[in-house]
Amino acid sequence: MDIVDTHCHIISDDLNRYPRAPIGGKQSDWATTRPVNAEGMVERMDEAGISQAVLVQATTAYGYDNSYVLDSRARWPERFVAVGTVDPLRPDAADNLESVVGRGGLAGVRLFTSGSTVPVQGEWFAAEQTYPFWGKATELGVTVCLQMRLGPATEQLHELLRRFPDVRILLDHMGYPDIAATPAGAGNAVAELAVHPNLHLKLTHRNLERLQEVGEKASGFLDPVLDVFGAKRIAWGSNLPAAEQTLPELVALAREVLADVPESDRREIFAGTARRLYPGLA
């Protein structure tokens, strides 16, 4: 089966050429304890049978400096596309977006509003100051990865997508739904987002591990999400090396959890959706 990894991170060994500048000043533990450079990522992809991957900027290592993902994309154009982190609040955010995507080298951009080093969910991604950014993203047809946690900021996401219905957003880790607590409840909460036709979901180990743990109850989450989003709006990503498993193990985890999903849908989740979101993979 064709497999595209839509969410992997690379960390360079060369601190002089690629100095660390994490957003918030705090670097992720995984970036220090188990970094993987671009060469290592190619080797791991070969081991796992993954043809291509999306290099997502390691925001908690490099902040807004996208040099390493861009340089790695240029070195392996047949294997990688690059997604960089940008600041939608800067006064020239629209012009900056236009300069960094397309000929600027980035296939997409990412907004990091919450994560292991940013425990409080930021709501700035929907602030009025970001409207020029979102308008330009709509105009350019660029995929925007949004790292956020569903909950208090969910209504901001709804408001944003109502204002910019044609912008294409890929929700990292499906917004961290609480699958462990109530698989069906989490599935229904995610399914409610499907009213926005250009919102896509990124399915990663952060979701798949919880689905594996709940066993047969996993269908309570997967069924409503697949019913309303459809496989063509869901893309798999490994999250290596933030994920502690090996890349072959992460692929096996996804195959196990999705074993009962029709093969045609699995093909979309593992590659088809990714190739539509990032035409540079074709």
Side-chain angles (χ1 to χ4, degrees), residues 103-141:
R103 292 184 179 180
L106 293 179
V109 293
R110 185 192 196 202
L111 306 186
F112 189 82
T113 74
S114 179
S116 60
T117 61
V118 185
V120 178
Q121 172 61 53
E123 299 181 10
W124 50 263
F125 68 89
E128 186 175 356
Q129 298 95 308
T130 67
Y131 291 173
F133 165 84
W134 290 111
K136 180 60 69 172
T138 301
E139 176 188 329
L140 297 173

PDB file of all heavy atoms in Angstrom, residues 103-141:
ATOM      1  N   ARG A 103       6.929  29.131  -4.416  1.00  0.00           N
ATOM      2  CA  ARG A 103       8.326  29.323  -4.797  1.00  0.00           C
ATOM      3  C   ARG A 103       9.223  29.527  -3.589  1.00  0.00           C
ATOM      4  O   ARG A 103      10.433  29.323  -3.668  1.00  0.00           O
ATOM      5  CB  ARG A 103       8.444  30.516  -5.750  1.00  0.00           C
ATOM      6  CG  ARG A 103       7.801  30.264  -7.121  1.00  0.00           C
ATOM      7  CD  ARG A 103       8.036  31.426  -8.051  1.00  0.00           C
ATOM      8  NE  ARG A 103       7.448  31.190  -9.368  1.00  0.00           N
ATOM      9  CZ  ARG A 103       7.502  32.054 -10.376  1.00  0.00           C
ATOM     10  NH1 ARG A 103       8.118  33.230 -10.202  1.00  0.00           N
ATOM     11  NH2 ARG A 103       6.943  31.763 -11.533  1.00  0.00           N
ATOM     12  N   GLY A 104       8.624  29.944  -2.477  1.00  0.00           N
ATOM     13  CA  GLY A 104       9.403  30.077  -1.246  1.00  0.00           C
ATOM     14  C   GLY A 104       9.820  28.751  -0.658  1.00  0.00           C
ATOM     15  O   GLY A 104      10.657  28.705   0.246  1.00  0.00           O
ATOM     16  N   GLY A 105       9.240  27.659  -1.149  1.00  0.00           N
ATOM     17  CA  GLY A 105       9.679  26.326  -0.760  1.00  0.00           C
ATOM     18  C   GLY A 105       8.753  25.551   0.140  1.00  0.00           C
ATOM     19  O   GLY A 105       8.814  24.329   0.199  1.00  0.00           O
ATOM     20  N   LEU A 106       7.861  26.236   0.871  1.00  0.00           N
ATOM     21  CA  LEU A 106       6.979  25.520   1.783  1.00  0.00           C
ATOM     22  C   LEU A 106       5.721  25.039   1.062  1.00  0.00           C
ATOM     23  O   LEU A 106       5.096  25.794   0.313  1.00  0.00           O
ATOM     24  CB  LEU A 106       6.578  26.418   2.954  1.00  0.00           C
ATOM     25  CG  LEU A 106       7.693  26.815   3.931  1.00  0.00           C
ATOM     26  CD1 LEU A 106       7.135  27.724   5.020  1.00  0.00           C
ATOM     27  CD2 LEU A 106       8.358  25.583   4.550  1.00  0.00           C
ATOM     28  N   ALA A 107       5.342  23.791   1.334  1.00  0.00           N
ATOM     29  CA  ALA A 107       4.110  23.238   0.772  1.00  0.00           C
ATOM     30  C   ALA A 107       2.909  23.578   1.635  1.00  0.00           C
ATOM     31  O   ALA A 107       1.764  23.463   1.196  1.00  0.00           O
ATOM     32  CB  ALA A 107       4.229  21.725   0.628  1.00  0.00           C
ATOM     33  N   GLY A 108       3.162  23.992   2.862  1.00  0.00           N
ATOM     34  CA  GLY A 108       2.102  24.346   3.798  1.00  0.00           C
ATOM     35  C   GLY A 108       2.721  25.011   5.004  1.00  0.00           C
ATOM     36  O   GLY A 108       3.951  25.097   5.128  1.00  0.00           O
ATOM     37  N   VAL A 109       1.870  25.482   5.910  1.00  0.00           N
ATOM     38  CA  VAL A 109       2.365  26.133   7.116  1.00  0.00           C
ATOM     39  C   VAL A 109       1.639  25.574   8.329  1.00  0.00           C
ATOM     40  O   VAL A 109       0.588  24.942   8.207  1.00  0.00           O
ATOM     41  CB  VAL A 109       2.197  27.668   7.058  1.00  0.00           C
ATOM     42  CG1 VAL A 109       3.094  28.256   5.977  1.00  0.00           C
ATOM     43  CG2 VAL A 109       0.750  28.055   6.849  1.00  0.00           C
ATOM     44  N   ARG A 110       2.209  25.856   9.508  1.00  0.00           N
ATOM     45  CA  ARG A 110       1.666  25.324  10.741  1.00  0.00           C
ATOM     46  C   ARG A 110       1.572  26.416  11.796  1.00  0.00           C
ATOM     47  O   ARG A 110       2.486  27.235  11.932  1.00  0.00           O
ATOM     48  CB  ARG A 110       2.564  24.199  11.270  1.00  0.00           C
ATOM     49  CG  ARG A 110       2.032  23.481  12.498  1.00  0.00           C
ATOM     50  CD  ARG A 110       3.098  22.613  13.102  1.00  0.00           C
ATOM     51  NE  ARG A 110       2.559  21.630  14.042  1.00  0.00           N
ATOM     52  CZ  ARG A 110       3.279  21.060  14.991  1.00  0.00           C
ATOM     53  NH1 ARG A 110       4.560  21.359  15.144  1.00  0.00           N
ATOM     54  NH2 ARG A 110       2.736  20.169  15.807  1.00  0.00           N
ATOM     55  N   LEU A 111       0.467  26.406  12.526  1.00  0.00           N
ATOM     56  CA  LEU A 111       0.294  27.295  13.667  1.00  0.00           C
ATOM     57  C   LEU A 111       0.327  26.439  14.919  1.00  0.00           C
ATOM     58  O   LEU A 111      -0.465  25.507  15.069  1.00  0.00           O
ATOM     59  CB  LEU A 111      -1.038  28.055  13.582  1.00  0.00           C
ATOM     60  CG  LEU A 111      -1.307  28.844  12.307  1.00  0.00           C
ATOM     61  CD1 LEU A 111      -2.596  29.658  12.457  1.00  0.00           C
ATOM     62  CD2 LEU A 111      -0.149  29.752  11.936  1.00  0.00           C
ATOM     63  N   PHE A 112       1.238  26.773  15.823  1.00  0.00           N
ATOM     64  CA  PHE A 112       1.431  25.982  17.036  1.00  0.00           C
ATOM     65  C   PHE A 112       0.805  26.736  18.202  1.00  0.00           C
ATOM     66  O   PHE A 112       1.385  27.681  18.736  1.00  0.00           O
ATOM     67  CB  PHE A 112       2.931  25.764  17.272  1.00  0.00           C
ATOM     68  CG  PHE A 112       3.257  24.799  18.365  1.00  0.00           C
ATOM     69  CD1 PHE A 112       3.235  23.434  18.128  1.00  0.00           C
ATOM     70  CD2 PHE A 112       3.608  25.240  19.632  1.00  0.00           C
ATOM     71  CE1 PHE A 112       3.550  22.530  19.129  1.00  0.00           C
ATOM     72  CE2 PHE A 112       3.929  24.355  20.639  1.00  0.00           C
ATOM     73  CZ  PHE A 112       3.898  22.992  20.392  1.00  0.00           C
ATOM     74  N   THR A 113      -0.411  26.353  18.592  1.00  0.00           N
ATOM     75  CA  THR A 113      -1.146  27.071  19.627  1.00  0.00           C
ATOM     76  C   THR A 113      -1.203  26.332  20.949  1.00  0.00           C
ATOM     77  O   THR A 113      -1.649  26.882  21.955  1.00  0.00           O
ATOM     78  CB  THR A 113      -2.588  27.364  19.173  1.00  0.00           C
ATOM     79  OG1 THR A 113      -3.364  26.153  19.224  1.00  0.00           O
ATOM     80  CG2 THR A 113      -2.620  27.919  17.760  1.00  0.00           C
ATOM     81  N   SER A 114      -0.775  25.061  20.957  1.00  0.00           N
ATOM     82  CA  SER A 114      -0.765  24.263  22.180  1.00  0.00           C
ATOM     83  C   SER A 114       0.088  23.031  21.944  1.00  0.00           C
ATOM     84  O   SER A 114       0.199  22.547  20.815  1.00  0.00           O
ATOM     85  CB  SER A 114      -2.180  23.841  22.575  1.00  0.00           C
ATOM     86  OG  SER A 114      -2.165  23.039  23.742  1.00  0.00           O
ATOM     87  N   GLY A 115       0.710  22.555  22.995  1.00  0.00           N
ATOM     88  CA  GLY A 115       1.541  21.363  22.869  1.00  0.00           C
ATOM     89  C   GLY A 115       2.233  21.056  24.178  1.00  0.00           C
ATOM     90  O   GLY A 115       1.926  21.644  25.218  1.00  0.00           O
ATOM     91  N   SER A 116       3.213  20.155  24.130  1.00  0.00           N
ATOM     92  CA  SER A 116       3.874  19.725  25.354  1.00  0.00           C
ATOM     93  C   SER A 116       4.588  20.869  26.055  1.00  0.00           C
ATOM     94  O   SER A 116       4.705  20.881  27.287  1.00  0.00           O
ATOM     95  CB  SER A 116       4.877  18.607  25.044  1.00  0.00           C
ATOM     96  OG  SER A 116       5.862  19.055  24.127  1.00  0.00           O
ATOM     97  N   THR A 117       5.078  21.842  25.286  1.00  0.00           N
ATOM     98  CA  THR A 117       5.775  22.976  25.900  1.00  0.00           C
ATOM     99  C   THR A 117       4.887  24.214  26.001  1.00  0.00           C
ATOM    100  O   THR A 117       5.330  25.240  26.517  1.00  0.00           O
ATOM    101  CB  THR A 117       7.033  23.336  25.088  1.00  0.00           C
ATOM    102  OG1 THR A 117       6.640  23.711  23.764  1.00  0.00           O
ATOM    103  CG2 THR A 117       7.992  22.162  25.030  1.00  0.00           C
ATOM    104  N   VAL A 118       3.658  24.106  25.506  1.00  0.00           N
ATOM    105  CA  VAL A 118       2.690  25.208  25.604  1.00  0.00           C
ATOM    106  C   VAL A 118       1.405  24.615  26.166  1.00  0.00           C
ATOM    107  O   VAL A 118       0.454  24.327  25.436  1.00  0.00           O
ATOM    108  CB  VAL A 118       2.428  25.870  24.240  1.00  0.00           C
ATOM    109  CG1 VAL A 118       1.513  27.079  24.389  1.00  0.00           C
ATOM    110  CG2 VAL A 118       3.738  26.295  23.592  1.00  0.00           C
ATOM    111  N   PRO A 119       1.336  24.387  27.484  1.00  0.00           N
ATOM    112  CA  PRO A 119       0.207  23.658  28.074  1.00  0.00           C
ATOM    113  C   PRO A 119      -1.116  24.409  28.048  1.00  0.00           C
ATOM    114  O   PRO A 119      -2.180  23.786  28.088  1.00  0.00           O
ATOM    115  CB  PRO A 119       0.662  23.407  29.516  1.00  0.00           C
ATOM    116  CG  PRO A 119       1.653  24.488  29.796  1.00  0.00           C
ATOM    117  CD  PRO A 119       2.363  24.730  28.497  1.00  0.00           C
ATOM    118  N   VAL A 120      -1.084  25.743  27.985  1.00  0.00           N
ATOM    119  CA  VAL A 120      -2.314  26.527  27.957  1.00  0.00           C
ATOM    120  C   VAL A 120      -2.718  26.782  26.510  1.00  0.00           C
ATOM    121  O   VAL A 120      -1.923  27.301  25.725  1.00  0.00           O
ATOM    122  CB  VAL A 120      -2.133  27.866  28.705  1.00  0.00           C
ATOM    123  CG1 VAL A 120      -3.417  28.688  28.627  1.00  0.00           C
ATOM    124  CG2 VAL A 120      -1.768  27.617  30.163  1.00  0.00           C
ATOM    125  N   GLN A 121      -3.928  26.396  26.155  1.00  0.00           N
ATOM    126  CA  GLN A 121      -4.403  26.567  24.788  1.00  0.00           C
ATOM    127  C   GLN A 121      -4.547  28.049  24.440  1.00  0.00           C
ATOM    128  O   GLN A 121      -5.290  28.786  25.081  1.00  0.00           O
ATOM    129  CB  GLN A 121      -5.752  25.865  24.600  1.00  0.00           C
ATOM    130  CG  GLN A 121      -6.441  26.149  23.266  1.00  0.00           C
ATOM    131  CD  GLN A 121      -5.605  25.704  22.082  1.00  0.00           C
ATOM    132  OE1 GLN A 121      -5.166  24.567  22.008  1.00  0.00           O
ATOM    133  NE2 GLN A 121      -5.388  26.609  21.129  1.00  0.00           N
ATOM    134  N   GLY A 122      -3.823  28.476  23.419  1.00  0.00           N
ATOM    135  CA  GLY A 122      -3.931  29.848  22.954  1.00  0.00           C
ATOM    136  C   GLY A 122      -5.127  30.020  22.032  1.00  0.00           C
ATOM    137  O   GLY A 122      -5.447  29.126  21.243  1.00  0.00           O
ATOM    138  N   GLU A 123      -5.785  31.145  22.137  1.00  0.00           N
ATOM    139  CA  GLU A 123      -6.935  31.440  21.274  1.00  0.00           C
ATOM    140  C   GLU A 123      -6.600  32.514  20.243  1.00  0.00           C
ATOM    141  O   GLU A 123      -7.471  32.953  19.502  1.00  0.00           O
ATOM    142  CB  GLU A 123      -8.128  31.866  22.133  1.00  0.00           C
ATOM    143  CG  GLU A 123      -8.574  30.773  23.103  1.00  0.00           C
ATOM    144  CD  GLU A 123      -9.774  31.162  23.956  1.00  0.00           C
ATOM    145  OE1 GLU A 123     -10.378  32.216  23.667  1.00  0.00           O
ATOM    146  OE2 GLU A 123     -10.101  30.422  24.897  1.00  0.00           O
ATOM    147  N   TRP A 124      -5.331  32.910  20.189  1.00  0.00           N
ATOM    148  CA  TRP A 124      -4.893  33.970  19.282  1.00  0.00           C
ATOM    149  C   TRP A 124      -5.038  33.602  17.812  1.00  0.00           C
ATOM    150  O   TRP A 124      -5.049  34.483  16.951  1.00  0.00           O
ATOM    151  CB  TRP A 124      -3.438  34.339  19.583  1.00  0.00           C
ATOM    152  CG  TRP A 124      -2.510  33.157  19.660  1.00  0.00           C
ATOM    153  CD1 TRP A 124      -2.094  32.514  20.781  1.00  0.00           C
ATOM    154  CD2 TRP A 124      -1.883  32.471  18.561  1.00  0.00           C
ATOM    155  NE1 TRP A 124      -1.254  31.474  20.476  1.00  0.00           N
ATOM    156  CE2 TRP A 124      -1.105  31.423  19.119  1.00  0.00           C
ATOM    157  CE3 TRP A 124      -1.898  32.636  17.185  1.00  0.00           C
ATOM    158  CZ2 TRP A 124      -0.350  30.560  18.339  1.00  0.00           C
ATOM    159  CZ3 TRP A 124      -1.158  31.773  16.390  1.00  0.00           C
ATOM    160  CH2 TRP A 124      -0.395  30.740  16.965  1.00  0.00           C
ATOM    161  N   PHE A 125      -5.123  32.294  17.521  1.00  0.00           N
ATOM    162  CA  PHE A 125      -5.194  31.877  16.115  1.00  0.00           C
ATOM    163  C   PHE A 125      -6.439  32.419  15.417  1.00  0.00           C
ATOM    164  O   PHE A 125      -6.486  32.481  14.186  1.00  0.00           O
ATOM    165  CB  PHE A 125      -5.161  30.349  16.005  1.00  0.00           C
ATOM    166  CG  PHE A 125      -6.379  29.651  16.554  1.00  0.00           C
ATOM    167  CD1 PHE A 125      -7.480  29.406  15.734  1.00  0.00           C
ATOM    168  CD2 PHE A 125      -6.428  29.223  17.871  1.00  0.00           C
ATOM    169  CE1 PHE A 125      -8.606  28.757  16.236  1.00  0.00           C
ATOM    170  CE2 PHE A 125      -7.546  28.582  18.374  1.00  0.00           C
ATOM    171  CZ  PHE A 125      -8.638  28.349  17.556  1.00  0.00           C
ATOM    172  N   ALA A 126      -7.474  32.806  16.195  1.00  0.00           N
ATOM    173  CA  ALA A 126      -8.711  33.328  15.609  1.00  0.00           C
ATOM    174  C   ALA A 126      -8.887  34.815  15.889  1.00  0.00           C
ATOM    175  O   ALA A 126      -9.956  35.369  15.615  1.00  0.00           O
ATOM    176  CB  ALA A 126      -9.914  32.553  16.152  1.00  0.00           C
ATOM    177  N   ALA A 127      -7.857  35.485  16.395  1.00  0.00           N
ATOM    178  CA  ALA A 127      -7.950  36.915  16.691  1.00  0.00           C
ATOM    179  C   ALA A 127      -8.113  37.720  15.411  1.00  0.00           C
ATOM    180  O   ALA A 127      -7.668  37.300  14.333  1.00  0.00           O
ATOM    181  CB  ALA A 127      -6.708  37.379  17.451  1.00  0.00           C
ATOM    182  N   GLU A 128      -8.727  38.876  15.527  1.00  0.00           N
ATOM    183  CA  GLU A 128      -8.968  39.722  14.351  1.00  0.00           C
ATOM    184  C   GLU A 128      -7.671  40.061  13.618  1.00  0.00           C
ATOM    185  O   GLU A 128      -7.651  40.194  12.391  1.00  0.00           O
ATOM    186  CB  GLU A 128      -9.690  40.996  14.771  1.00  0.00           C
ATOM    187  CG  GLU A 128     -10.109  41.880  13.610  1.00  0.00           C
ATOM    188  CD  GLU A 128     -10.933  43.076  14.052  1.00  0.00           C
ATOM    189  OE1 GLU A 128     -11.243  43.165  15.264  1.00  0.00           O
ATOM    190  OE2 GLU A 128     -11.255  43.915  13.192  1.00  0.00           O
ATOM    191  N   GLN A 129      -6.571  40.181  14.373  1.00  0.00           N
ATOM    192  CA  GLN A 129      -5.288  40.508  13.750  1.00  0.00           C
ATOM    193  C   GLN A 129      -4.815  39.434  12.776  1.00  0.00           C
ATOM    194  O   GLN A 129      -3.955  39.688  11.936  1.00  0.00           O
ATOM    195  CB  GLN A 129      -4.218  40.727  14.822  1.00  0.00           C
ATOM    196  CG  GLN A 129      -4.502  41.886  15.762  1.00  0.00           C
ATOM    197  CD  GLN A 129      -5.181  41.413  17.038  1.00  0.00           C
ATOM    198  OE1 GLN A 129      -6.193  40.706  16.995  1.00  0.00           O
ATOM    199  NE2 GLN A 129      -4.606  41.787  18.179  1.00  0.00           N
ATOM    200  N   THR A 130      -5.358  38.216  12.910  1.00  0.00           N
ATOM    201  CA  THR A 130      -4.939  37.126  12.019  1.00  0.00           C
ATOM    202  C   THR A 130      -5.748  37.084  10.727  1.00  0.00           C
ATOM    203  O   THR A 130      -5.421  36.296   9.834  1.00  0.00           O
ATOM    204  CB  THR A 130      -5.073  35.764  12.720  1.00  0.00           C
ATOM    205  OG1 THR A 130      -6.469  35.467  12.946  1.00  0.00           O
ATOM    206  CG2 THR A 130      -4.337  35.751  14.050  1.00  0.00           C
ATOM    207  N   TYR A 131      -6.784  37.888  10.598  1.00  0.00           N
ATOM    208  CA  TYR A 131      -7.664  37.787   9.429  1.00  0.00           C
ATOM    209  C   TYR A 131      -6.923  37.981   8.105  1.00  0.00           C
ATOM    210  O   TYR A 131      -7.218  37.265   7.122  1.00  0.00           O
ATOM    211  CB  TYR A 131      -8.820  38.774   9.539  1.00  0.00           C
ATOM    212  CG  TYR A 131      -9.832  38.450  10.630  1.00  0.00           C
ATOM    213  CD1 TYR A 131     -10.861  39.345  10.947  1.00  0.00           C
ATOM    214  CD2 TYR A 131      -9.756  37.263  11.353  1.00  0.00           C
ATOM    215  CE1 TYR A 131     -11.783  39.053  11.936  1.00  0.00           C
ATOM    216  CE2 TYR A 131     -10.672  36.963  12.349  1.00  0.00           C
ATOM    217  CZ  TYR A 131     -11.685  37.871  12.645  1.00  0.00           C
ATOM    218  OH  TYR A 131     -12.593  37.590  13.636  1.00  0.00           O
ATOM    219  N   PRO A 132      -5.962  38.912   8.010  1.00  0.00           N
ATOM    220  CA  PRO A 132      -5.217  39.012   6.741  1.00  0.00           C
ATOM    221  C   PRO A 132      -4.479  37.722   6.393  1.00  0.00           C
ATOM    222  O   PRO A 132      -4.424  37.334   5.215  1.00  0.00           O
ATOM    223  CB  PRO A 132      -4.246  40.169   7.003  1.00  0.00           C
ATOM    224  CG  PRO A 132      -4.931  41.004   8.029  1.00  0.00           C
ATOM    225  CD  PRO A 132      -5.620  40.014   8.928  1.00  0.00           C
ATOM    226  N   PHE A 133      -3.943  37.063   7.417  1.00  0.00           N
ATOM    227  CA  PHE A 133      -3.267  35.783   7.184  1.00  0.00           C
ATOM    228  C   PHE A 133      -4.244  34.760   6.623  1.00  0.00           C
ATOM    229  O   PHE A 133      -3.969  34.096   5.615  1.00  0.00           O
ATOM    230  CB  PHE A 133      -2.651  35.275   8.488  1.00  0.00           C
ATOM    231  CG  PHE A 133      -2.260  33.826   8.444  1.00  0.00           C
ATOM    232  CD1 PHE A 133      -1.048  33.439   7.921  1.00  0.00           C
ATOM    233  CD2 PHE A 133      -3.125  32.834   8.911  1.00  0.00           C
ATOM    234  CE1 PHE A 133      -0.678  32.100   7.859  1.00  0.00           C
ATOM    235  CE2 PHE A 133      -2.769  31.490   8.858  1.00  0.00           C
ATOM    236  CZ  PHE A 133      -1.540  31.122   8.338  1.00  0.00           C
ATOM    237  N   TRP A 134      -5.400  34.619   7.278  1.00  0.00           N
ATOM    238  CA  TRP A 134      -6.360  33.614   6.841  1.00  0.00           C
ATOM    239  C   TRP A 134      -6.915  33.947   5.456  1.00  0.00           C
ATOM    240  O   TRP A 134      -7.177  33.040   4.648  1.00  0.00           O
ATOM    241  CB  TRP A 134      -7.491  33.483   7.860  1.00  0.00           C
ATOM    242  CG  TRP A 134      -7.062  32.859   9.149  1.00  0.00           C
ATOM    243  CD1 TRP A 134      -6.969  33.465  10.369  1.00  0.00           C
ATOM    244  CD2 TRP A 134      -6.652  31.496   9.350  1.00  0.00           C
ATOM    245  NE1 TRP A 134      -6.528  32.573  11.315  1.00  0.00           N
ATOM    246  CE2 TRP A 134      -6.325  31.359  10.718  1.00  0.00           C
ATOM    247  CE3 TRP A 134      -6.533  30.393   8.512  1.00  0.00           C
ATOM    248  CZ2 TRP A 134      -5.893  30.155  11.257  1.00  0.00           C
ATOM    249  CZ3 TRP A 134      -6.103  29.189   9.049  1.00  0.00           C
ATOM    250  CH2 TRP A 134      -5.788  29.073  10.402  1.00  0.00           C
ATOM    251  N   GLY A 135      -7.098  35.226   5.183  1.00  0.00           N
ATOM    252  CA  GLY A 135      -7.557  35.611   3.856  1.00  0.00           C
ATOM    253  C   GLY A 135      -6.547  35.236   2.791  1.00  0.00           C
ATOM    254  O   GLY A 135      -6.913  34.730   1.719  1.00  0.00           O
ATOM    255  N   LYS A 136      -5.278  35.463   3.062  1.00  0.00           N
ATOM    256  CA  LYS A 136      -4.235  35.113   2.095  1.00  0.00           C
ATOM    257  C   LYS A 136      -4.109  33.599   1.957  1.00  0.00           C
ATOM    258  O   LYS A 136      -3.899  33.076   0.850  1.00  0.00           O
ATOM    259  CB  LYS A 136      -2.908  35.725   2.533  1.00  0.00           C
ATOM    260  CG  LYS A 136      -1.735  35.439   1.601  1.00  0.00           C
ATOM    261  CD  LYS A 136      -1.985  35.982   0.192  1.00  0.00           C
ATOM    262  CE  LYS A 136      -1.986  37.498   0.144  1.00  0.00           C
ATOM    263  NZ  LYS A 136      -2.050  38.001  -1.240  1.00  0.00           N
ATOM    264  N   ALA A 137      -4.245  32.866   3.063  1.00  0.00           N
ATOM    265  CA  ALA A 137      -4.189  31.403   2.990  1.00  0.00           C
ATOM    266  C   ALA A 137      -5.309  30.864   2.112  1.00  0.00           C
ATOM    267  O   ALA A 137      -5.125  29.912   1.343  1.00  0.00           O
ATOM    268  CB  ALA A 137      -4.283  30.802   4.390  1.00  0.00           C
ATOM    269  N   THR A 138      -6.479  31.486   2.208  1.00  0.00           N
ATOM    270  CA  THR A 138      -7.606  31.099   1.356  1.00  0.00           C
ATOM    271  C   THR A 138      -7.279  31.389  -0.100  1.00  0.00           C
ATOM    272  O   THR A 138      -7.496  30.549  -0.985  1.00  0.00           O
ATOM    273  CB  THR A 138      -8.870  31.863   1.773  1.00  0.00           C
ATOM    274  OG1 THR A 138      -9.172  31.570   3.138  1.00  0.00           O
ATOM    275  CG2 THR A 138     -10.053  31.467   0.907  1.00  0.00           C
ATOM    276  N   GLU A 139      -6.774  32.574  -0.357  1.00  0.00           N
ATOM    277  CA  GLU A 139      -6.447  32.983  -1.726  1.00  0.00           C
ATOM    278  C   GLU A 139      -5.409  32.065  -2.360  1.00  0.00           C
ATOM    279  O   GLU A 139      -5.528  31.687  -3.538  1.00  0.00           O
ATOM    280  CB  GLU A 139      -5.916  34.417  -1.707  1.00  0.00           C
ATOM    281  CG  GLU A 139      -5.447  34.943  -3.047  1.00  0.00           C
ATOM    282  CD  GLU A 139      -4.769  36.293  -2.917  1.00  0.00           C
ATOM    283  OE1 GLU A 139      -5.133  37.077  -2.011  1.00  0.00           O
ATOM    284  OE2 GLU A 139      -3.852  36.575  -3.715  1.00  0.00           O
ATOM    285  N   LEU A 140      -4.399  31.681  -1.585  1.00  0.00           N
ATOM    286  CA  LEU A 140      -3.317  30.852  -2.107  1.00  0.00           C
ATOM    287  C   LEU A 140      -3.674  29.375  -2.155  1.00  0.00           C
ATOM    288  O   LEU A 140      -2.982  28.593  -2.809  1.00  0.00           O
ATOM    289  CB  LEU A 140      -2.063  31.042  -1.249  1.00  0.00           C
ATOM    290  CG  LEU A 140      -1.467  32.454  -1.224  1.00  0.00           C
ATOM    291  CD1 LEU A 140      -0.329  32.521  -0.202  1.00  0.00           C
ATOM    292  CD2 LEU A 140      -0.967  32.859  -2.602  1.00  0.00           C
ATOM    293  N   GLY A 141      -4.724  28.978  -1.446  1.00  0.00           N
ATOM    294  CA  GLY A 141      -5.100  27.567  -1.405  1.00  0.00           C
ATOM    295  C   GLY A 141      -4.101  26.713  -0.658  1.00  0.00           C
ATOM    296  O   GLY A 141      -3.946  25.517  -0.936  1.00  0.00           O
TER     297      GLY A 141
END
